[in-house]
Amino acid sequence: MAFDLDMIKKVYDRYSSRIDAARQATGKPLTLTEKILYAHLTEGNAKAAYQRGVDYVDFAPDRVAMQDATAQMALLQFMQAGRPQVAVPSTVHCDHLIQAKIGAVEDLNTAKDINSEVYDFLSSVSDKYGLGFWKPGAGIIHQVVLENYAFPGGMMIGTDSHTPNAGGLGMIAIGVGGADACDVMAGLPWELKFPKLIGVHLTGKLSGWASAKDVILKVAGILTVKGGTGAIVEYFGEGARSLSATGKGTICNMGAEIGATTSIFGYDEKMAAYLRGTQRADIADLADAVATHLTGDDEVYSSPEQYFDQVIEINLSELEPHVNGPFTPDLAWPISKFATAVRENGWPTALEVGLIGSCTNSSYEDISRAASIAKQATDKGLKTKAEYTVTPGSELVRYTVERDGYLNTFEQIGGVVLANACGPCIGQWSRHTDDPTRKNSIITSFNRNFAKRQDGNPNTHAFVASPEIVTAFAIAGDLTFNPLTDTLTNEAGEQVMLDEPLGIELPIKGFAVEDAGYQAPAEDGSAVEVLVSPTSSRLQLLDPFAAWEGTDIKGLRLLIKAKGKCTTDHISMAGPWLKFRGHLDNISNNMLIGAINYFNNTADSVKNELTGEYGPVPATQRDYKANGIGSIVVGDENYGEGSSREHAAMEPRHLGVRAILVKSFARIHETNLKKQGMLGITFDNVADYDKVQEDDKIDIVGLTEFAPGKQLTVVLHHADGTEDSFPVNHTYNAQQIEWFKAGGALNIIRRQQHA
Ligand code: MIC
Ligand code: SF4
């Protein structure tokens, strides 16, 4: 970790001069977000950034973090960049590929066995190129990063949309696709559209059942899944300072669900305590010395409406616990209204499973609060009605909460402790159910609840809440129960109430762990061999994508006009498909199989214009590809919401889709498309979406004059001989247009490497 300390010193050394320069240039006080961004501009880039008129700005992040399901593609790309070592400290975390079935020990062993090829690949690439490697069982990327690498005022990118979790320690941490990570690891600048600033002013103090999770559940309700797009959310005020560092992490983590670029809190005593509690007193000392730079200026916080594009006020003293869902994380219900909502909407009232943990909610504080509820079930003679699972976020937390007796408390109410991994959160869940066609409800302390996400079952209604609320519901087994006001009947037939949860922020006896699961890279990795078998079904070396042909693109077929929500889970489903994340051709067999076809309201059934027959999306596209016919995908609002997985961009690219035309994009997905040399365009007039017909032949005109800010034209040739034509927008800057022309950003890096 000594290496980190030097790096952090260097970052802090830059702060004073950078912030002075920025204050002078802009002539105004600065938000924390601006301070961190300005301190991480690449050389020579400052002027443009201060003006804010420019769209894209180049940054030099301090760190890169990758999880196993996205690291494979990121590192396959990095291997082609021709660098001997990564240019900035980087880590790989094995967390997504472990399936929850029986319990921690058995499931981890099974995962090590079936994923050995992928783990060996990741471990040897890490060894060779100088990346830290966190073995399966070590924990979920965002918890491990918070415990080991996040630092106030730093900047990190990570190949996972919940990377913003590190905002809990005052770091600007942003989720990206693997191609972006590859650039930063190769020593190139990382560009980001200069974000809008949303300020959230927290007053008061949490009490009773309300927790940090309820802050973000409420914010999600206010801003919706699109409301944070293009913005960084900065939390401030006495309420912000009263939240534990891990509670702040929960809020920043789930900020991904409102589409925010990231979320952040200023450095304060709670962060210092967490750093000291996790053996990083030296970092806390460094941060204390520059503390004024690690929070927004006083003037900003006293008149926030002058400095933020939008300000939201939340009084923590009045905040009610929330339950969000089903099917979307922004459908927010205060607990007092939830039972009525369940009844009125006819959602299944019987709760079948409660699941706590995940990267969002698995801190020591979370576990202790949930355990305080679980213990009451035993003490008050209540029988837990629903199944109940616990996913610790890291081995450090797991070991410590086991030592302190909490795991035992959960086991006493029938709780099953799963491996320190993503598990059910990402569909790595072999759920036992007697009838998958039955409409059913589950509740989790995770962050996403899109249809089919946890168990692949469209009949499952998934709700999101804090771990303590999930635990109370699991005991009651009934979604119309309100733990704040209602009683339960115990085994003796008495009416009992659950008392408010009690938690401990940091373990009184300190954190402990026997083996945290870290493997340092070789000093000199040049002799390490990385093997990828040509016959592997799990890993495949990448072939460069073809460059643009230099003309307008004409005669495209409509592959699918997707209707409604089309998240990355719809475009490249996770769960059983996670095993192909290192094999582009194999994973392409899941392309868009979850998207609903506008013309028949069915998933994975589109018309093949060559045969006139309806068939699965991937097979139809493979047929077009085999016949040298390009195609286009049309979509609705916030297309590509959710995950950072670039497979959702690479699969269509690989199978010969030429353009994605939608009403609007989610940020990470739009960048991923650009990086892979795909054309991502948006309707100028969203009503033009309605003009697209199933049998259209489609042209994209204006590409020979493709320029920043200049519209392109889409022409629809309908089957009846009529035509429609309309302008479409794009957000490509000059460099991104070069990516498009070269057939992908990596082709340019490769070219430079061989020049
Ligand atoms: C998720 O929560 O959806 C994931 C799985 O962590 C993804 C990353 C992936 O698809 O591998 C994310 O959020 O970016
Ligand atoms: Fe893993 Fe779920 Fe967190 Fe994604 S959201 S990193 S799948 S625990």
Side-chain angles (χ1 to χ4, degrees):
M1 226 69 103
F3 179 40
D4 257 31
L5 210 57
D6 287 345
M7 182 262 281
I8 295 170
K9 271 190 201 133
K10 280 198 195 123
V11 174
Y12 287 169
D13 283 347
R14 284 202 303 265
Y15 256 88
S16 288
S17 60
R18 287 293 185 95
I19 289 173
D20 284 348
R23 268 208 206 96
Q24 270 188 358
T26 59
K28 63 172 195 63
L30 300 173
T31 60
L32 170 63
T33 305
E34 289 164 305
K35 289 184 187 180
I36 304 182
L37 290 179
Y38 291 150
H40 288 86
L41 295 170
T42 55
E43 295 298 332
N45 192 16
K47 265 218 184 84
Y50 299 151
Q51 278 157 9
R52 291 274 201 93
V54 284
D55 265 5
Y56 284 91
V57 183
D58 281 350
F59 293 99
D62 307 314
R63 294 201 71 89
V64 174
M66 291 169 287
Q67 43 89 340
D68 50 3
T70 50
Q72 298 170 61
M73 218 30 111
L75 290 168
L76 283 164
Q77 294 177 79
F78 179 74
M79 283 165 66
Q80 304 200 351
R83 296 255 331 187
Q85 287 267 304
V86 286
V88 300
S90 307
T91 48
V92 170
H93 303 259
C94 296
D95 52 3
H96 279 63
L97 303 179
I98 302 167
Q99 193 189 36
K101 194 166 182 185
I102 304 168
V105 179
E106 299 86 338
D107 294 348
L108 184 60
N109 283 336
T110 311
K112 283 186 186 157
D113 187 27
I114 58 177
N115 300 319
S116 63
E117 186 185 1
V118 171
Y119 293 148
D120 289 347
F121 167 75
L122 291 173
S123 144
S124 60
V125 183
S126 300
D127 206 21
K128 183 172 182 64
Y129 296 106
L131 296 92
F133 179 72
W134 288 84
K135 294 183 248 180
I140 309 175
I141 175 169
H142 310 303
Q143 273 304 313
V144 174
V145 165
L146 196 72
E147 287 159 6
N148 294 276
Y149 301 120
F151 67 95
M155 182 183 215
M156 174 176 80
I157 59 162
T159 59
D160 190 280
S161 65
H162 294 105
T163 304
N165 192 64
L169 264 187
M171 188 173 214
I172 287 226
I174 302 181
V176 298
D180 280 32
C182 172
D183 284 0
V184 174
M185 291 189 292
L188 298 175
W190 177 68
E191 59 165 25
L192 175 75
K193 215 172 176 166
F194 204 95
K196 282 186 297 183
L197 306 174
I198 298 180
V200 181
H201 184 202
L202 300 180
T203 52
K205 199 168 185 316
L206 292 173
S207 63
W209 286 85
S211 73
K213 180 65 162 274
D214 301 305
V215 175
I216 186 61
L217 293 175
K218 180 168 178 77
V219 169
I222 297 171
L223 285 174
T224 79
V225 291
K226 270 190 71 183
T229 308
I232 293 187
V233 185
E234 182 169 326
Y235 291 83
F236 61 93
E238 43 149 346
R241 286 191 298 275
S242 73
L243 299 169
S244 64
T246 49
K248 293 174 166 96
T250 296
I251 295 173
C252 295
N253 176 304
M254 208 183 148
E257 271 49 73
I258 53 167
T261 302
T262 191
S263 304
I264 189 159
F265 282 81
Y267 181 60
D268 61 15
E269 277 170 18
K270 297 284 189 180
M271 290 189 196
Y274 185 74
L275 284 169
R276 292 179 195 281
T278 48
Q279 258 82 67
R280 290 174 291 171
D282 38 11
I283 300 182
D285 292 341
L286 287 180
D288 284 342
V290 293
T292 50
H293 297 325
L294 302 178
T295 179
D297 288 343
D298 291 343
E299 297 90 325
V300 169
Y301 294 154
S302 52
S303 351
E305 43 311 308
Q306 283 183 37
Y307 303 99
F308 291 99
D309 298 295
Q310 182 181 355
V311 178
I312 294 172
E313 296 273 345
I314 295 178
N315 182 347
L316 299 184
S317 307
E318 291 167 2
L319 184 67
E320 262 191 76
H322 277 61
V323 180
N324 288 20
F327 306 123
T328 184
D330 56 354
L331 197 53
W333 305 102
I335 192 90
S336 58
K337 308 238 161 61
F338 183 57
T340 314
V342 170
R343 283 192 206 98
E344 282 179 356
N345 289 288
W347 297 325
T349 52
L351 177 71
E352 298 198 7
V353 196
L355 306 97
I356 69 161
S358 89
C359 66
T360 330
N361 269 120
S362 54
S363 63
Y364 190 86
E365 184 181 24
D366 289 331
I367 301 279
S368 63
R369 281 174 67 88
S372 78
I373 302 298
K375 185 159 184 309
Q376 295 179 48
T378 318
D379 293 350
K380 298 183 181 182
L382 289 161
K383 237 184 142 59
T384 310
K385 300 265 178 44
E387 280 180 54
Y388 183 63
T389 71
V390 182
T391 317
S394 69
E395 179 57 12
L396 185 77
V397 166
R398 194 209 60 80
Y399 190 93
T400 310
V401 297
E402 180 174 49
R403 178 200 65 191
D404 294 350
Y406 295 129
L407 294 189
N408 187 27
T409 307
F410 294 131
E411 277 157 3
Q412 279 178 10
I413 66 160
V416 177
V417 179
L418 301 171
N420 313 321
C422 300
C425 180
I426 189 54
Q428 290 281 39
W429 186 23
S430 176
R431 182 175 169 193
H432 330 271
T433 168
D434 45 357
D435 176 11
T437 61
R438 178 180 62 236
K439 276 191 171 191
N440 72 93
S441 292
I442 65 170
I443 186 164
T444 79
S445 73
F446 309 161
N447 42 39
R448 294 200 172 130
N449 56 351
F450 306 138
K452 300 200 226 174
R453 178 167 167 105
Q454 272 86 32
D455 60 359
N457 183 352
N459 300 306
T460 298
H461 293 53
F463 297 87
V464 181
S466 69
E468 45 274 40
I469 290 286
V470 170
T471 306
F473 274 117
I475 295 168
D478 180 354
L479 280 187
T480 58
F481 170 66
N482 179 351
L484 281 69
T485 52
D486 299 350
T487 56
L488 293 166
T489 314
N490 73 4
E491 283 170 322
E494 299 149 353
Q495 293 299 303
V496 292
M497 268 191 91
L498 295 172
D499 303 326
E500 290 172 353
L502 286 174
I504 304 174
E505 276 178 33
L506 290 166
I508 293 157
K509 287 189 261 169
F511 281 107
V513 69
E514 231 159 54
D515 175 8
Y518 178 70
Q519 174 186 300
E523 283 285 323
D524 173 8
S526 55
V528 177
E529 258 196 283
V530 178
L531 296 178
V532 174
S533 157
T535 55
S536 169
S537 67
R538 304 277 310 256
L539 294 165
Q540 182 186 41
L541 293 175
L542 292 170
D543 284 329
F545 292 130
W548 171 55
E549 61 269 57
T551 58
D552 284 340
I553 306 178
K554 297 206 161 149
L556 300 178
R557 288 303 194 168
L558 177 71
L559 176 62
I560 183 170
K561 174 161 153 177
K563 182 177 162 186
K565 220 176 184 43
C566 193
T567 71
T568 45
D569 281 351
H570 297 81
I571 308 171
S572 176
M573 200 169 274
W577 292 92
L578 283 171
K579 59 176 171 293
F580 297 126
R581 284 291 185 86
H583 196 293
L584 182 54
D585 194 55
N586 283 347
I587 198 160
S588 294
N589 290 330
N590 78 358
M591 185 182 74
L592 283 157
I593 60 177
I596 301 299
N597 180 358
Y598 176 90
F599 298 103
N600 59 7
N601 276 322
T602 311
D604 204 21
S605 165
V606 292
K607 187 166 174 189
N608 180 333
E609 293 293 334
L610 301 175
T611 61
E613 314 253 306
Y614 283 81
V617 186
T620 308
Q621 181 56 34
R622 284 192 192 271
D623 199 21
Y624 291 151
K625 185 178 183 184
N627 285 284
I629 296 169
S631 67
I632 183 168
V633 170
V634 172
D636 220 308
E637 297 284 3
N638 211 19
Y639 181 89
E641 164 188 349
S643 154
S644 67
R645 61 191 78 142
E646 63 196 324
H647 306 76
M650 293 178 93
E651 295 173 25
R653 181 79 177 99
H654 171 65
L655 291 186
V657 176
R658 299 302 304 274
I660 313 285
L661 167 62
V662 298
K663 293 185 185 169
S664 63
F665 282 112
R667 173 189 62 91
I668 309 180
H669 186 62
E670 184 175 25
T671 310
N672 286 344
L673 289 169
K674 291 177 178 176
K675 278 261 146 131
Q676 302 301 337
M678 177 74 99
L679 195 59
I681 45 187
T682 52
F683 292 100
D684 185 44
N685 174 5
V686 291
D688 289 338
Y689 170 91
D690 300 331
K691 295 184 178 151
V692 180
Q693 300 299 314
E694 196 169 30
D695 302 323
D696 286 349
K697 280 196 177 148
I698 304 169
D699 303 340
I700 301 169
V701 182
L703 288 171
T704 50
E705 283 137 42
F706 195 8
K710 191 166 176 213
Q711 289 183 322
L712 300 167
T713 304
V714 163
V715 186
L716 307 175
H717 305 275
H718 303 304
D720 64 3
T722 59
E723 264 183 37
D724 269 306
S725 147
F726 47 81
V728 292
N729 301 324
H730 70 82
T731 60
Y732 289 70
N733 63 17
Q735 170 170 9
Q736 295 165 343
I737 291 176
E738 291 312 310
W739 300 344
F740 167 74
K741 290 183 176 165
L746 193 56
N747 287 347
I748 296 184
I749 303 185
R750 233 191 247 118
R751 215 189 279 150
Q752 286 161 350
Q753 206 59 43
H754 296 122

